[in-house]
Amino acid sequence: MVARALSPRSPDALSTIVRSEPNLIARGSGRAYGDSAINPSATVETRHLNRMIRFDPSSGQLVAEAGVQLGDIISAFLPHGWFPLVTPGTRFVSLGGAIAADVHGKNHHNDGSFRNCVDWIDLMRQDGTIKRCSLDEDAELFDYTLGGMGLTGVIVRAAIRLRPVETAWIRQTTISTDNLANCMQVIEGAQNATYSVAWIDCLGQAANLGRALVMLGEHAEVSDLPLDMKAAPLQIKPKKMRSVPVYLPALTLNRYSLSAFNSLYYWIGSRKRGDRIVDWKSYFYPLDSIAGWNKIYGRKGFVQFQCVLPLESSESGLTALLAEIASAGTGSFLSVLKRFGKQSGAFSFPMEGYTLALDFPVNAKVFALLDRLDRITIEHGGRFYLAKDSRMRSETLHASDERIGDFQTMRESREFTAHFRSAQSERLEL
């Protein structure tokens, strides 16, 4: 898709653009997997609005502009003992993007989604003026902006809270499980762990359906570290960036190669089960250390599917999803399962239950499989993550989420509908 990109360097320049363009959407770091931050006529990049404005060490509150990346925040504040309260699987997401998608991490079961660390948001409306919203000031706008995918205005700046940490290290516990039921049992028994995530073998069948590696995590204290790390507990040695130099041929991505990769990954992970100390980059952002990792999917690229299923139907729904994937033989290198806690939010993705994220190489069979996964998700009361969507049909989204009508009503009542639009919002009739 070709889009006209505009890159303001100040809030005043942004205001001029917002007032002059008939419709637009904001774009942060471009880390959404589809067309949620693209408007062909006017895509407004916030990458130059990237100042960190002030920090309060007594509360951990940081005020920053929307274009600041989480990685910038970590680089500035981890050496002083602060880390994001909630982070997704990449540190290259912008602050505005994290708010617009209401991103979640490996700690949702305890700490919720990104909204739980946001104190207030400065939002630019269609007339170019800035409106501050929070739980105490225009709470409705605040609520819909978190998860509203940029369709409530342009996020200019926000105040978020960081968490204090003693070290840059994570105490990781790896547990191998034989099947989905065993995996979920381990995760349910680890609700007190700060972080939990599972890699799922999505091509396992019969007794091995849903076999997994569950990785629990805690921020390490200085007393947890080996003696040679204690002198500089907030520092890690730089690692050489690995890279995928070329696009893999499409023929290498088949049932047999994916099955072999998943079996090998599970075997290696099982040999590493138990406790160990890992650095923050390895635990939170494993893909960030591999340049061009998307090339493993070939020149046609990949498509991601992510759903969440309510707690009461999670096991049956996940079983049906994994059985369908295994039967199709179109597996995923990266199949990630996480437990969500209770969630309040007018249009945020999470609900209490389990979320499954899958990457598929694009081929002739994938889109038919994804349509079947959509139907299974809807049949089990689930919904879909808009930040990962690139191909869903409007009727699928509307059948999965009863909140859409209220979201549309809010947009119309505030006269946002005509002005803040993305290719995704057009495709999904939002």
Side-chain angles (χ1 to χ4, degrees):
M1 179 178 294
V2 176
R4 174 171 163 257
L6 305 169
S7 302
R9 294 179 176 270
S10 69
D12 286 343
L14 173 63
S15 178
T16 299
I17 291 171
V18 170
R19 285 184 282 111
S20 61
E21 294 295 329
N23 61 82
L24 55 87
I25 196 69
R27 182 176 179 84
S29 299
R31 288 283 158 164
Y33 282 60
D35 51 0
S36 58
I38 300 173
N39 180 311
S41 63
T43 299
V44 182
E45 298 179 327
T46 62
R47 57 194 174 94
H48 297 303
L49 303 174
N50 62 351
R51 295 182 306 144
M52 286 179 265
I53 299 168
R54 63 178 179 272
F55 179 70
D56 182 355
S58 65
S59 64
Q61 187 191 73
L62 169 68
V63 177
E65 291 182 326
V68 171
Q69 290 188 348
L70 290 190
D72 299 329
I73 294 172
I74 296 170
S75 295
F77 289 97
L78 182 57
H80 302 284
W82 298 93
F83 195 79
L85 181 66
V86 174
T87 178
T90 175
R91 67 185 186 277
F92 299 130
V93 66
S94 69
L95 176 58
I99 292 169
D102 192 20
V103 297
H104 55 272
K106 299 175 176 67
N107 57 336
H108 191 283
H109 59 289
N110 282 324
D111 295 317
S113 58
F114 203 75
R115 68 174 47 242
N116 284 0
C117 73
V118 180
D119 288 336
W120 52 259
I121 302 165
D122 277 351
L123 196 67
M124 186 168 288
R125 297 175 292 185
Q126 61 269 39
D127 63 358
T129 62
I130 293 176
K131 166 73 174 179
R132 179 160 296 182
C133 55
S134 67
L135 288 174
D136 300 318
E137 187 176 356
D138 203 338
E140 180 189 58
L141 184 58
F142 180 76
D143 197 16
Y144 274 113
T145 297
L146 285 148
M149 303 305 293
L151 299 174
T152 62
V154 179
I155 298 165
V156 179
R157 65 184 73 87
I160 64 170
R161 278 168 284 108
L162 308 180
R163 73 162 75 231
V165 296
E166 285 189 21
T167 79
W169 301 87
I170 300 293
R171 287 190 288 111
Q172 177 179 298
T173 301
T174 301
I175 304 165
S176 59
T177 63
D178 296 330
N179 52 51
L180 177 64
N182 187 202
C183 172
M184 295 179 70
Q185 184 179 30
V186 169
I187 292 174
E188 288 298 321
Q191 290 296 290
N192 290 331
T194 301
Y195 302 103
S196 70
V197 63
W199 170 87
I200 294 275
D201 179 358
C202 64
L203 288 177
Q205 299 189 54
N208 290 328
L209 182 73
R211 66 179 177 177
L213 300 171
V214 180
M215 287 155 279
L216 310 178
E218 302 289 341
H219 287 281
E221 299 176 356
V222 174
S223 59
D224 298 320
L225 301 183
L227 187 60
D228 61 337
M229 294 181 184
K230 290 185 177 182
L234 291 166
Q235 298 177 13
I236 62 172
K237 292 181 180 179
K239 292 184 177 180
K240 183 179 180 180
M241 174 74 78
R242 294 171 290 169
S243 65
V244 180
V246 298
Y247 289 98
L248 295 186
L251 291 176
T252 63
L253 300 174
N254 55 55
R255 175 195 291 266
Y256 306 105
S257 63
L258 288 168
S259 179
F261 171 84
N262 283 4
S263 295
L264 178 63
Y265 192 88
Y266 180 78
W267 179 78
I268 292 174
S270 297
R271 289 175 61 85
K272 294 181 178 179
R273 64 183 179 271
D275 301 332
R276 61 189 182 121
I277 299 291
V278 300
D279 63 84
W280 62 272
K281 290 183 180 179
S282 298
Y283 187 78
F284 292 107
Y285 314 113
L287 283 182
D288 284 354
S289 64
I290 306 174
W293 60 266
N294 56 295
K295 292 179 180 178
I296 65 175
Y297 296 98
R299 289 190 178 278
K300 290 184 178 180
F302 69 95
V303 61
Q304 183 158 111
F305 172 91
Q306 185 168 0
C307 69
V308 58
L309 300 168
L311 191 59
E312 60 272 14
S313 63
S314 285
E315 186 170 358
S316 61
L318 290 169
T319 299
L321 289 168
L322 292 172
E324 188 67 42
I325 295 165
S327 176
T330 305
S332 169
F333 286 112
L334 300 172
S335 306
V336 178
L337 182 71
K338 293 195 286 281
R339 171 69 150 85
F340 281 164
K342 292 183 179 180
Q343 170 85 29
S344 61
F347 203 55
S348 295
F349 165 65
M351 68 169 79
E352 186 172 20
Y354 281 80
T355 179
L356 179 66
L358 306 152
D359 290 345
F360 294 100
V362 171
N363 59 49
K365 298 194 298 182
V366 159
F367 291 101
L369 170 62
L370 292 171
D371 287 343
R372 297 195 295 276
L373 300 185
D374 289 346
R375 289 195 292 272
I376 292 170
T377 300
I378 292 171
E379 288 167 1
H380 288 83
R383 60 182 180 231
F384 306 97
Y385 192 21
L386 294 182
K388 300 291 182 70
D389 165 62
S390 62
R391 34 65 57 184
M392 192 170 22
R393 289 188 288 269
S394 173
E395 55 267 28
T396 300
L397 178 66
H398 287 250
S400 71
D401 200 330
E402 72 285 352
R403 304 171 302 168
I404 291 175
D406 291 338
F407 183 65
Q408 291 172 318
T409 299
M410 179 278 303
R411 294 222 319 135
E412 291 168 0
S413 68
R414 292 177 180 260
E415 300 181 351
F416 292 155
T417 306
H419 205 78
F420 300 113
R421 299 159 68 176
S422 65
Q424 182 183 62
S425 72
E426 294 291 309
R427 172 168 54 86
L428 297 178
E429 300 179 24
L430 288 174

